[in-house]
Amino acid sequence: MHVPFESLSRTFQDAIHITHNLGLKYLWIDSLCIIQDDLHDWETESKKMAAIYQSSHVTICAAKSEDGNGGCFADATLRETDPFSGSDIEVHVRKCPRHIISEAMFSYSSFFHSSGNLPLFTRAWTFQEELLATRVLYYCADEIVFQCKANIDCQCGRISTHMAEIGDRTAKQQYEAALIDHRDAQNLQIQWYRIIKQYSARNLTKESDRLPALSGLAGVFQSKTVLGRFLAGLWTHDLPLWLTWVVWGSHPPLERYVAPSWSWVSVLSGNQICYPLLEEDGGVSNDKVENELCISGIHYELASSDPTGAISSAFLLVKGKAVKARLVYNYDPVTPGGGGGGGSLLVLPPFGVSLGDKQVDFTCDSSYRVINLTTEGQDVWCLRLLTVKKRDFFLVLVPTSNEHEYVRVGIKHDAVVEDGNGTSLDGIPHSQSWFDDAEEKEMKLI
């Protein structure tokens, strides 16, 4: 099939010029090589994307472009007026960018420019393409940046200098290093968390792509076996730990089913997911985590032939200590002035659970989900996941109309913390923990 060069977008035309000047014969562009709006071709070809990026000679990233019309190349021309002739003078220059030198930014982000004009790094799809690629050329607003598995450099040379000064590595370099020592389960857990933390903060045009846009990386990690089987963004090995994700914000719910409520994938893209227990500064080692939840069954139905791609349904059958509590709204559901409209969610966290005369606030997965599924004062269930240093991590679950079936609406991740006198900082003496006398309950989490 012949495609006229003039019919291609500016970015595609620039990519062809770059490929030709590099002496390469072939160029793969996903939106041209995968038939758009053809589900069968998409399912067939999308599974190959990880191998394509891993095997490519170089991946071209139009980092400064918002869409296909932005192109790869920056306009580096200044127009000045000649004070003698009054005519315009074209001066060709290249601005020296101010690179980020913060150690934290290099550790947790692909953003190595302080400039906010790099739309590429807000897109979820491009994240795995960057990590999987052998080499990457970033065409930025001010210069070109090159990164491979071991090094990164730019035209002005300041990135490599700053990296040496702070003694840190980029997200891609951290990913490559983790795969070398792939038998260390905790090392891979931390690396997967790094991926989640960055990927979840990026945006998708179609929320149904939440898992497919991560499928290539998930396949790489699943091949290492130590994390177990991929489960909607989580892993079967140490599954109670993977259930301890936290998200902040009042984001609206997804319009269609993407993942079960117990998976962070069920949260709208652009909301950063955190795992307090896996933080490199403040996390804990696996030998200090006591799993308190038994996973007795897993149902996981794929929506395509991609084993790490989209799913059509999933649920967990679990058994663990659970207590019934009363749901508390920590905000006024009626707008001041009596106008209705949903009230204020400025109080954080906006929800809590109470048992007897004790109340504990929890972090909701989405305030919209809580409001849509509950009424103030109704019964909810608190299911203990694990214990760390006398701290109970438990899910807050809302029953559905089906018997023994529950939906996750939030998590309490520091429920029992003793002070020097043996008293819980949440007001619950450890000797009177909610779960000490609780009975084990079998539940289906959807």
Side-chain angles (χ1 to χ4, degrees):
M1 181 178 70
H2 175 69
V3 179
F5 181 80
E6 297 75 16
S7 68
L8 298 175
S9 69
R10 178 185 169 189
T11 300
F12 291 172
Q13 291 180 6
D14 288 351
I16 291 173
H17 284 304
I18 294 167
T19 303
H20 176 73
N21 289 332
L22 288 174
L24 302 175
K25 289 185 177 181
Y26 303 102
L27 172 65
W28 187 86
I29 301 175
D30 56 358
S31 60
L32 293 182
C33 297
I34 300 177
I35 302 174
Q36 302 300 291
D37 301 320
D38 186 319
L39 182 59
H40 176 71
D41 192 65
W42 163 252
E43 291 180 352
T44 302
E45 298 299 322
S46 63
K47 292 186 295 184
K48 304 175 184 177
M49 290 179 69
I52 289 172
Y53 284 103
Q54 287 174 312
S55 303
S56 67
H57 183 77
V58 66
T59 295
I60 301 169
C61 292
K64 72 175 187 63
S65 301
E66 292 187 5
D67 52 40
N69 296 317
C72 295
F73 305 121
D75 182 7
T77 301
L78 279 178
R79 283 183 167 79
E80 296 289 342
T81 302
D82 188 328
F84 300 103
S85 65
S87 59
D88 288 343
I89 303 173
E90 287 190 355
V91 182
H92 295 274
V93 298
R94 181 170 61 81
K95 178 182 177 182
C96 185
R98 183 173 64 89
H99 293 293
I100 294 174
I101 59 173
S102 162
E103 181 176 353
M105 288 301 291
F106 274 112
S107 296
Y108 292 109
S109 176
S110 298
F111 293 73
F112 38 74
H113 287 66
S114 60
S115 171
N117 59 350
L118 298 175
L120 180 83
F121 298 116
T122 66
R123 301 171 192 156
W125 265 109
T126 62
F127 185 58
Q128 71 168 357
E129 296 166 1
E130 178 186 359
L131 292 193
L132 292 170
T134 304
R135 305 171 189 86
V136 187
L137 275 174
Y138 305 91
Y139 285 82
C140 304
D142 302 316
E143 64 176 352
I144 300 172
V145 177
F146 172 80
Q147 183 171 204
C148 62
K149 294 182 178 182
N151 293 299
I152 184 171
D153 211 344
C154 59
Q155 287 179 281
C156 74
R158 297 176 68 192
I159 283 183
S160 57
T161 301
H162 292 331
M163 293 294 289
E165 289 176 354
I166 65 177
D168 208 348
R169 296 175 293 185
T170 65
K172 181 171 178 61
Q173 291 166 356
Q174 289 177 331
Y175 164 77
E176 297 293 346
L179 295 185
I180 293 174
D181 189 17
H182 63 266
R183 291 172 294 182
D184 185 339
Q186 186 166 16
N187 184 41
L188 282 185
Q189 285 177 339
I190 292 174
Q191 179 55 44
W192 183 252
Y193 171 42
R194 290 176 183 150
I195 289 173
I196 291 173
K197 196 170 186 179
Q198 296 181 58
Y199 174 76
S200 60
R202 297 188 178 204
N203 300 310
L204 284 164
T205 302
K206 296 180 179 179
E207 292 297 326
S208 57
D209 288 344
R210 201 85 157 102
L211 286 170
L214 193 61
S215 176
L217 288 170
V220 171
F221 276 73
Q222 185 160 263
S223 69
K224 306 306 177 185
T225 69
V226 296
L227 295 183
R229 184 161 61 96
F230 184 70
L231 206 63
L234 284 56
W235 297 94
T236 54
H237 179 69
D238 283 338
L239 184 53
L241 172 66
W242 291 112
L243 293 171
T244 61
W245 55 269
V246 178
V247 64
W248 285 275
S250 297
H251 45 274
L254 299 180
E255 294 182 357
R256 55 167 291 181
Y257 182 88
V258 174
S261 66
W262 42 264
S263 166
W264 59 265
V265 179
S266 66
V267 176
L268 190 71
S269 64
N271 292 280
Q272 191 170 61
I273 301 298
C274 296
Y275 275 92
L277 291 177
L278 292 176
E279 290 288 352
E280 292 171 85
D281 182 15
V284 298
S285 59
N286 285 355
D287 59 352
K288 296 179 181 178
V289 177
E290 298 180 29
N291 287 337
E292 304 286 354
L293 187 69
C294 174
I295 311 297
S296 55
I298 298 174
H299 169 82
Y300 198 70
E301 186 174 338
L302 296 170
S304 71
S305 57
D306 184 356
T308 53
I311 61 174
S312 55
S313 68
F315 62 79
L316 297 177
L317 298 178
V318 302
K319 184 178 182 180
K321 285 193 171 185
V323 295
K324 184 186 291 187
R326 183 174 61 86
L327 180 64
V328 178
Y329 283 17
N330 290 331
Y331 78 105
D332 183 357
V334 178
T335 302
S344 171
L345 289 175
L346 295 180
V347 179
L348 294 175
F351 304 101
V353 286
S354 68
L355 183 64
D357 60 348
K358 301 296 183 183
Q359 177 178 326
V360 176
D361 295 333
F362 67 90
T363 305
C364 64
D365 302 333
S366 165
S367 56
Y368 288 86
R369 182 184 292 180
V370 179
I371 293 171
N372 289 339
L373 295 178
T374 69
T375 57
E376 185 175 12
Q378 79 163 71
D379 288 339
V380 294
W381 284 87
C382 302
L383 175 67
R384 184 162 67 175
L385 295 174
L386 46 81
T387 303
V388 181
K389 298 180 179 178
K390 297 184 179 180
R391 298 164 62 193
D392 286 334
F393 285 64
F394 66 80
L395 296 181
V396 179
L397 307 171
V398 174
T400 72
S401 57
N402 298 322
E403 189 176 8
H404 305 307
E405 186 178 84
Y406 300 85
V407 173
R408 168 178 166 154
V409 295
I411 185 171
K412 183 59 179 175
H413 53 84
D414 57 355
V416 179
V417 184
E418 290 185 338
D419 62 14
N421 299 318
T423 302
S424 162
L425 301 184
D426 281 308
I428 310 171
H430 183 60
S431 60
Q432 299 174 15
S433 169
W434 286 5
F435 298 99
D436 284 350
D437 299 321
E439 294 184 358
E440 290 193 333
K441 183 176 177 65
E442 294 182 346
M443 294 178 155
K444 177 181 179 181
L445 308 185
I446 63 171

